[in-house]
Amino acid sequence: MSHEAAHEESRTGLSKDILKRAFLDNLFYYQGKSPALATKNDYYMALAYTVRDRLLQRWISTAETYTRDQSRTVAYFSAEFLLGPHLGNNLLNLGIFDTAREALRDLGLNFDEILGQEEEPGLGNGGLGRLAACFLDSMATLEIPSLGYGIRYEFGIFNQDIVDGEQVELTDKWLRFGNPWELARPEWAVEIGLGGHTHHFTDRDGRHRVQWLPALTVMGTPYDTPILGYRNNTANTLRLWRAEAPEAFDLSTFNRGDYWGAVNKKVVSENITKVLYPNDEQIQGKELRLQQQYFFVACSLKDMMRIMRNQNVPVEKFHLKFAVQLNDTHPAVAIAELMRILIDEQDVEWDRAWGIVRKTFAYTNHTLLPEALEQWPVHLFARVLPRHHEIILEINARFLDEVRIRFLGDHGRLSRMSLINEHGDRYVRMANLACVGSHAINGVAALHTELLKADVLADFHAMSPEKFSNKTNGVTPRRFLALANPRLAGLLDKTLGEGWPADLESLRGLEPHVEDASFRAEWRYIKRATKEDFAGYLRRRLGTVIDPESLFDVQVKRIHEYKRQHLNALHILALYHRLKNDPDLDITPRTFIFGGKA
């Protein structure tokens, strides 16, 4: 083997011996440690870099393929991505999870302990962020060209401690030891504006034009993470934006003796991506939240324009190059931003620009509660985004003309469908903007979508029924089952073959085995052993002893009055009263387990 081939193999080979050698190399050359001095975190970083080396080849070749083919790309816009730990998932997707375990065992190291070292990127609150992560995983596995766009929060969802039975929130410093999975791309940094005012003028051809003159400019630097498909060679990209000041240190201000002023711009700019709002409801009137939302969609659309320039795709074909999925209304301001780019910067005439915009965007709705639909006070929105405010008013005027023609004399409908809520204080309705500016609207479960059509978005369904469809989101079963329950995954491999993680329908192949006594015995043994594992974990963690023989009734989600913990607590009380009233009642012993952050 030539020297070059040997070097290549050490970077990309998947055998146990090559993994061991690469791991020790990375421990020495990346972490600067010998095994005698290495910490658990050093071991984790060395293994993470070993795995990342094996992703890079797939990642770069995927990007080259998409560029060569000028592939139409899904841009998934989401303010949250709840990815889970990368290391175990990437090992699983590469097909080397067990090989890596054996390699580290040969080196005298505890594989599970090293996996447990990873700081989870908690860049989401719950279902919305997890749905985004599932879709990235699915698109890479299905080899659909895609780019996830979001925010690189310095502090993710708060860590939780329970002290004297009460929740205490702790800072989530997930980046404190570095993040081996991301690559900074400062060469693709972009500058975006906030605040200021607009200047209206007539150009040389006698046309009305508008220029936005922002009061503040902020740099957005992209950080890229590879998202590997399951057992294939496709690695798509998650691109998260970090806010920075255009100049880290304002020397002229410093020279005037104003040290605080010299660094304040940097602090103000970086605040935009400092922290994830720890709330899965809408937040009324938080200026920083609006700045976050605009920051990441403006950075992302500028990035997409850069890609189009590089591939010589004319701006009129934006919708043929990119399909943008809005994950809830957090990125809905992108509709106004793309209009601004097209009409103000690219000189596209309004109707043509609006056609491009509507063919580009699609909207996923996440809530049936009218009071939880995102709205921004008009005065706040106009102050932060003056040009976008003007564009939204123009979109609204033209849209309401369509509604008037379609539903003559129905003033109630006009009021409900307006992009501006005029009841009391005026608000910009982001769900209405998302519906009007998108060609497709979906809920996240069949019942949810039917209720959207019948209730919350009924007016929009009456106007454009063809826009509505359902997209039921399945969890990514390979991750949760294969990583969380390796015993059960092993039984499925043995019974169904190893293809089930990429084809959930194949689980129907278990049905012929229900009458097989040996299969049932193994299934019961695995269930019991896994429950014993969990009982042991609970005893170590909380000092609570539970009976693995009992039925575990588990509910894990955000603790919330409008979720289902309340009903569950009433269920516990109802069972308790039944037992008190009839002590001889034949009932399966149950342990109720709640997990969640409040």
Side-chain angles (χ1 to χ4, degrees):
M1 187 186 290
S2 70
H3 175 73
E4 287 79 10
H7 176 71
E8 177 72 13
E9 179 126 318
S10 74
R11 287 290 200 181
T12 60
L14 301 177
S15 73
K16 183 175 76 169
D17 288 339
I18 289 172
L19 287 176
K20 280 198 308 200
R21 198 159 60 243
F23 171 78
L24 292 172
D25 268 2
N26 286 332
L27 186 65
F28 189 85
Y29 288 107
Y30 273 114
Q31 296 306 107
K33 295 280 183 75
S34 67
L37 294 175
T39 64
K40 283 180 197 167
N41 191 64
D42 290 324
Y43 288 135
Y44 160 70
M45 294 293 274
L47 183 56
Y49 283 122
T50 302
V51 173
R52 193 185 81 175
D53 283 346
R54 280 136 189 86
L55 297 185
L56 285 174
Q57 185 187 35
R58 292 162 172 81
W59 196 18
I60 289 166
S61 99
T62 300
E64 285 172 347
T65 301
Y66 292 165
T67 301
R68 185 189 68 235
D69 297 348
Q70 295 208 350
S71 308
R72 189 173 192 225
T73 301
V74 175
Y76 198 90
F77 279 22
S78 181
E80 301 183 13
F81 285 95
L82 206 48
L83 297 155
H86 288 286
L87 178 54
N89 194 59
N90 283 330
L91 286 167
L92 185 77
N93 285 356
L94 284 167
I96 57 170
F97 192 88
D98 292 334
T99 312
R101 181 190 290 280
E102 288 166 22
L104 291 189
R105 190 176 59 211
D106 286 359
L107 295 169
L109 296 171
N110 184 323
F111 178 72
D112 294 319
E113 226 170 52
I114 290 169
L115 278 186
Q117 278 296 116
E118 181 167 355
E119 290 278 1
E120 186 165 340
L123 307 182
N125 282 287
L128 179 145
R130 182 55 234 164
L131 177 134
C134 279
F135 271 119
L136 294 187
D137 199 320
S138 296
M139 287 189 288
T141 298
L142 293 168
E143 301 187 307
I144 295 169
S146 64
L147 257 170
Y149 279 114
I151 301 172
R152 183 181 178 268
Y153 300 104
E154 189 177 332
F155 299 104
I157 184 66
F158 61 87
N159 285 326
Q160 175 200 61
D161 212 354
I162 304 294
V163 178
D164 297 330
E166 300 215 343
Q167 173 178 288
V168 176
E169 297 90 35
L170 306 168
T171 313
D172 172 42
K173 303 190 192 83
W174 73 286
L175 290 169
R176 66 187 149 179
F177 296 125
N179 176 9
W181 303 105
E182 69 183 6
L183 286 173
R185 307 287 197 191
E187 69 276 20
W188 293 337
V190 296
E191 199 169 289
I192 64 115
L194 290 164
H197 63 279
T198 58
H199 169 53
H200 291 247
F201 63 99
T202 303
D203 70 11
R204 269 180 268 174
D205 300 324
R207 291 179 308 169
H208 177 254
R209 303 296 301 276
V210 185
Q211 184 183 14
W212 177 24
L213 301 164
L216 173 71
T217 56
V218 179
M219 293 295 291
T221 300
Y223 286 73
D224 286 0
T225 300
I227 305 295
L228 184 65
Y230 180 74
R231 307 279 169 98
N232 65 18
N233 289 320
T234 295
N236 287 333
T237 298
L238 170 62
R239 183 160 293 161
L240 300 179
W241 297 95
R242 178 182 179 219
E244 297 172 10
E247 289 294 336
F249 191 84
D250 187 337
L251 196 61
S252 62
T253 306
F254 179 71
N255 286 340
R256 293 198 302 271
D258 183 3
Y259 177 77
W260 182 86
V263 294
N264 187 49
K265 280 185 186 171
K266 177 176 168 63
V267 172
V268 168
S269 297
E270 291 184 358
N271 275 345
I272 292 174
T273 55
K274 190 65 74 177
V275 65
L276 168 77
Y277 275 96
N279 197 329
D280 57 356
E281 297 171 281
Q282 301 310 337
I283 296 159
Q284 286 298 323
K286 284 278 195 298
E287 185 168 342
L288 184 59
R289 173 77 158 195
L290 180 58
Q291 289 178 344
Q292 280 184 343
Q293 293 179 1
Y294 175 68
F295 167 78
F296 100 82
V297 304
C299 288
S300 304
L301 287 167
K302 272 206 167 177
D303 191 57
M304 291 152 77
M305 288 290 179
R306 173 187 62 80
I307 292 167
M308 289 181 59
R309 279 195 307 276
N310 289 349
Q311 296 185 9
N312 295 313
V313 181
V315 73
E316 288 81 5
K317 293 189 174 176
F318 190 91
H319 58 290
L320 300 176
K321 173 61 188 170
F322 289 108
V324 181
Q325 191 70 35
L326 304 171
N327 195 24
D328 210 12
T329 54
H330 309 135
V333 70
I335 291 165
E337 172 66 2
L338 184 54
M339 277 301 283
R340 185 192 70 78
I341 292 168
L342 293 174
I343 60 178
D344 291 357
E345 295 181 359
Q346 300 294 329
D347 203 15
V348 180
E349 176 268 328
W350 179 282
D351 287 338
R352 195 167 184 194
W354 185 236
I356 293 167
V357 166
R358 289 184 83 168
K359 287 175 195 155
T360 296
F361 290 103
Y363 163 50
T364 299
N365 171 282
H366 281 265
T367 185
L368 290 163
L369 298 174
E371 67 273 19
L373 291 173
E374 192 171 40
Q375 299 190 105
W376 291 105
V378 165
H379 65 86
L380 168 65
F381 195 94
R383 187 174 79 247
V384 176
L385 299 170
R387 180 59 181 139
H388 302 76
H389 174 240
E390 292 174 352
I391 287 168
I392 285 170
L393 293 182
E394 180 69 17
I395 292 169
N396 196 39
R398 291 168 181 247
F399 171 66
L400 291 181
D401 282 345
E402 292 176 35
V403 178
R404 279 188 194 93
I405 293 164
R406 184 76 184 275
F407 302 100
L408 284 169
D410 192 340
H411 299 296
R413 193 182 296 264
L414 273 175
S415 171
R416 294 191 303 271
M417 295 182 79
S418 173
L419 305 192
I420 307 297
N421 182 349
E422 306 276 4
H423 301 293
D425 292 335
R426 297 170 75 237
Y427 289 89
V428 182
R429 293 167 162 158
M430 301 310 281
N432 290 24
L433 174 63
C435 288
V436 172
S438 296
H439 65 273
I441 301 164
N442 70 283
V444 291
L447 178 61
H448 176 208
T449 302
E450 289 309 309
L451 289 169
L452 284 179
K453 284 151 63 169
D455 186 14
V456 190
L457 301 180
D459 292 318
F460 292 96
H461 181 251
M463 178 109 177
S464 308
E466 73 287 351
K467 285 189 180 185
F468 286 76
S469 70
N470 180 59
K471 297 289 174 285
T472 300
N473 176 53
V475 297
T476 310
R478 54 191 165 276
R479 172 175 300 173
F480 294 107
L481 209 160
L483 292 177
N485 197 339
R487 292 187 194 92
L488 182 54
L491 177 61
L492 297 182
D493 285 347
K494 190 169 74 177
T495 311
L496 302 171
E498 296 187 2
W500 62 268
D503 176 19
L504 207 56
E505 280 299 304
S506 67
L507 292 183
R508 293 202 177 280
L510 294 174
E511 289 171 0
H513 298 272
V514 293
E515 301 304 332
D516 178 344
S518 66
F519 176 82
R520 288 207 309 267
E522 195 169 352
W523 183 279
R524 274 198 302 272
Y525 163 76
I526 288 167
K527 192 170 188 178
R528 169 73 194 215
T530 307
K531 289 171 77 176
E532 285 174 355
D533 287 350
F534 180 71
Y537 167 81
L538 217 55
R539 188 171 62 250
R540 291 189 303 276
R541 188 76 193 264
L542 299 178
T544 303
V545 177
I546 61 174
D547 179 10
E549 277 294 320
S550 66
L551 186 153
F552 288 3
D553 190 323
V554 184
Q555 188 177 26
V556 181
K557 65 198 295 123
R558 283 298 282 270
I559 309 292
H560 231 302
E561 66 273 19
Y562 71 77
K563 297 196 189 291
R564 300 291 179 268
Q565 294 97 347
H566 191 190
L567 290 176
N568 210 348
L570 292 173
H571 177 46
I572 294 169
L573 281 173
L575 284 177
Y576 173 74
H577 281 297
R578 283 172 65 194
L579 278 166
K580 290 291 280 184
N581 292 335
D582 182 2
D584 298 324
L585 190 67
D586 183 17
I587 190 166
T588 305
R590 280 184 189 226
T591 303
F592 286 87
I593 299 160
F594 292 85
K597 297 180 182 183

